[in-house]
Amino acid sequence: MFGCHYYHGPGCSSFGYGAMEELGPFRVNSDNKTLYRNPYAWNNVANVIFLESPAGVGFSYSNRSSDYTNVGDKKTAEDSYTFLVNWLERFPQYKTRDFFIAGESYAGHYVPQLAYTILSKNKKSNKTVINLKGIAVSSVTIILSNKHTSTFQILSTCYHADW
């Protein structure tokens, strides 16, 4: 099993927060210079990719300036899909493993959009098929109108199915 984790949304690093403060194999010590092992890391039971997105967030970058102006949730899903396909081509031993997508806060938008993109592309192309088995989101941020943003606490929202 392997999966992809998004942390929050635009401007928030999956690696910096998700990997180094919550779910990853290491945590940063109070001296801000050294690390210690996280006994509750997700990678104890699965291979996890902490995906920085959209382009320019966290440690991500692009060599095309258009990637910083041509933005949006759909573009983020397309870019994430392209990354995953290329990653699976580079590491083919993961191609047959079950794949899960998880995220929190604004990633409540990214996760279902990436799932939809994967399912659509799996049906239409002769490219690498991503073996998507489920998604999970928590503390989903919903934009109710142009003026209001709300965060709904969801104890456990997980959809798992054989697609």
Side-chain angles (χ1 to χ4, degrees):
M1 172 173 54
F2 80 107
C4 173
H5 184 268
Y6 286 104
Y7 189 84
H8 292 284
C12 194
S13 171
S14 289
F15 180 77
Y17 290 100
M20 300 307 289
E21 292 189 13
E22 291 184 341
L23 316 171
F26 300 103
R27 296 269 177 93
V28 179
N29 280 312
S30 59
D31 65 7
N32 290 321
K33 296 177 183 178
T34 58
L35 304 175
Y36 67 95
R37 285 201 173 276
N38 176 8
Y40 307 106
W42 283 16
N43 72 306
N44 289 331
V45 295
N47 300 101
V48 181
I49 298 171
F50 292 90
L51 188 57
E52 301 279 54
S53 98
V57 169
F59 294 93
S60 70
Y61 68 93
S62 176
N63 57 6
R64 295 185 312 232
S65 59
S66 63
D67 286 337
Y68 300 109
T69 56
N70 177 20
V71 296
D73 296 344
K74 185 174 181 175
K75 174 83 165 115
T76 298
E78 290 289 333
D79 288 348
S80 297
Y81 172 79
T82 300
F83 166 81
L84 289 169
V85 167
N86 289 331
W87 191 88
L88 287 168
E89 289 300 316
R90 173 70 175 88
F91 301 102
Q93 65 269 30
Y94 293 93
K95 283 184 177 183
T96 59
R97 294 193 186 179
D98 292 345
F99 180 70
F100 296 84
I101 311 167
E104 56 188 282
S105 188
Y106 193 83
H109 294 266
Y110 294 155
V111 169
Q113 289 186 42
L114 176 55
Y116 177 81
T117 301
I118 289 170
L119 294 174
S120 296
K121 302 269 187 181
N122 279 352
K123 290 178 185 176
K124 292 180 182 177
S125 74
N126 57 2
K127 292 183 179 181
T128 297
V129 171
I130 298 173
N131 193 21
L132 181 62
K133 289 295 181 180
I135 65 172
V137 295
S138 68
S139 302
V140 178
T141 297
I142 307 279
I143 299 172
L144 300 172
S145 72
N146 291 338
K147 296 179 183 177
H148 303 287
T149 300
S150 283
T151 299
F152 294 89
Q153 294 297 323
I154 301 170
L155 295 176
S156 177
T157 300
C158 183
Y159 182 75
H160 179 263
D162 290 326
W163 285 311

